[in-house]
């Protein structure tokens, strides 16, 4: 099955194997397989589970939620908000970089590849893991949200002290899946050009995240790229 074969991290595989057997996920798999055959779909098949493969379950420190992958050619590579190094960073990502600059003094990078965050323990999770080319939210409602909700619930139940970054209304809706007595939830507006000035700029989530991690004796995230 295309979806499960691209999840290579053994701990994530073990934790999610029961989910893969559920009727909704079997149907989702068939739908996505057909979409890749008949349409242009992003990201590439082997990168659908890139966020999980780059950030093993036991290494997760921070969970950053996005909505669905970028729908432009060559942009999406399975990490929310991130683009390949040779692709111009989208405006939402530029706004994220501006906030990091103002928050922790980082120089705005020349590229938008966030893999270094992922390898440090930032799970860059979209709530839908695929999208049809040039059609944002085109794979919304197919079943991905049920799956990624399960991922969030599993992290909430089996880990402690994680920092969840919820930006925008869609991400805010996931707060009910998180046990706030065990974890830290930071909420802000979405960094898109339409809302960044209404509560994303000035949120200081990057320095706050590192403060919360260091309070637990953990190493903070180096946000520089």
């Amino acid at each position: 099955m295309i979806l499960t074969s691209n999840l290579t991290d053994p701990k994530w595989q073990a934790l999610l194997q029961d989910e893969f057997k559920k009727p909704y996920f079997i149907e989702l798999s068939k739908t996505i397989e057909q979409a890749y055959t008949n349409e242009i779909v992003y990201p590439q098949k082997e990168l659908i589970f890139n966020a999980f493969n780059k950030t093993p379950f036991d290494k997760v420190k921070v969970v950053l939620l996005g909505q669905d992958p970028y729908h432009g050619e060559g942009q999406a590579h399975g990490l929310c908000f991130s683009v390949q190094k040779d692709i111009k960073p989208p405006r939402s990502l530029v706004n994220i970089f501006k906030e990091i600059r103002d928050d922790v003094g980082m120089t705005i990078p020349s590229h938008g590849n966030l893999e270094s965050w992922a390898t440090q323990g930032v799970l860059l999770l979209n709530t839908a893991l695929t999208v049809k080319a040039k059609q944002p939210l085109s794979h919304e409602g197919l079943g991905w949200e049920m799956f990624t909700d399960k991922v969030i619930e599993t992290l909430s139940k089996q880990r402690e002290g994680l920092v969840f970054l919820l930006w925008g209304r869609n991400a805010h809706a996931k707060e009910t899946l998180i046990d706030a007595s065990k974890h830290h939830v930071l909420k802000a507006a979405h960094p898109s050009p339409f809302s960044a000035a209404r509560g994303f700029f000035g949120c200081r989530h990057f320095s706050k995240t590192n403060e919360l991690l260091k309070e637990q004796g953990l190493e903070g995230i180096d946000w520089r790229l």
Side-chain angles (χ1 to χ4, degrees):
M1 192 181 297
I2 164 191
L3 300 181
T4 56
S5 66
N6 286 300
L7 177 57
T8 58
D9 181 76
K11 183 67 177 283
W12 279 117
Q13 279 185 333
L15 288 167
L16 297 171
Q17 62 179 341
D18 289 342
E19 204 69 13
F20 292 147
K21 299 172 185 175
K22 292 182 178 179
Y24 88 88
F25 196 90
I26 293 171
E27 189 61 32
L28 171 65
S29 299
K30 293 176 182 177
T31 300
I32 298 301
E33 181 76 74
Q34 188 173 29
Y36 273 97
T37 300
N38 299 328
E39 305 166 347
I40 299 174
V41 177
Y42 300 128
Q44 295 173 323
K45 284 183 183 182
E46 62 271 20
L47 295 177
I48 292 174
F49 288 100
N50 200 22
F52 301 89
N53 296 332
K54 293 288 184 185
T55 313
F57 182 82
D58 292 327
K59 301 293 186 183
V60 176
K61 297 179 180 178
V62 181
V63 181
L64 174 54
L65 290 184
Q67 193 163 357
D68 69 337
Y70 295 122
H71 56 275
E73 183 178 359
Q75 291 181 309
H77 63 128
L79 306 176
C80 75
F81 293 107
S82 180
V83 292
Q84 306 274 19
K85 280 192 175 181
D86 56 348
I87 298 294
K88 181 181 178 181
R91 294 174 69 188
S92 291
L93 184 53
V94 171
N95 285 340
I96 291 171
F97 291 156
K98 288 178 180 178
E99 177 60 24
I100 300 175
R101 176 196 63 193
D102 295 343
D103 185 11
V104 301
M106 179 188 84
T107 300
I108 291 181
S110 60
H111 67 86
N113 189 310
L114 306 181
E115 283 188 19
S116 68
W117 295 4
T119 56
Q120 292 178 77
V122 183
L123 182 66
L124 298 168
L125 180 67
N126 279 314
T127 52
L129 301 187
T130 56
V131 69
K132 187 176 179 180
K134 300 180 182 179
Q135 294 189 27
L137 303 179
S138 50
H139 286 180
E140 189 177 43
L142 296 182
W144 278 128
E145 292 83 1
M146 292 178 66
F147 173 72
T148 50
D149 281 0
K150 180 65 176 181
V151 170
I152 296 167
E153 288 177 339
T154 301
L155 284 162
S156 178
K157 289 176 181 176
Q158 297 200 22
R159 296 290 311 279
E160 292 187 10
L162 301 181
V163 181
F164 288 84
L165 301 179
L166 308 183
W167 299 340
R169 285 181 296 175
N170 289 306
H172 293 174
K174 304 300 182 182
E175 187 176 7
T176 58
L177 304 172
I178 303 163
D179 184 347
S181 70
K182 295 169 58 182
H183 302 284
H184 309 281
V185 178
L186 300 180
K187 296 193 294 183
H190 195 276
S192 80
F194 305 104
S195 57
R198 300 198 301 270
F200 178 75
F201 290 139
C203 71
R204 299 189 66 245
H205 279 187
F206 305 95
S207 60
K208 289 177 181 178
T209 292
N210 282 348
E211 289 167 7
L212 291 168
L213 293 175
K214 290 174 181 177
E215 285 173 5
Q216 301 176 65
L218 300 172
E219 190 173 348
I221 305 300
D222 184 351
W223 300 107
R224 297 172 298 178
L225 300 180

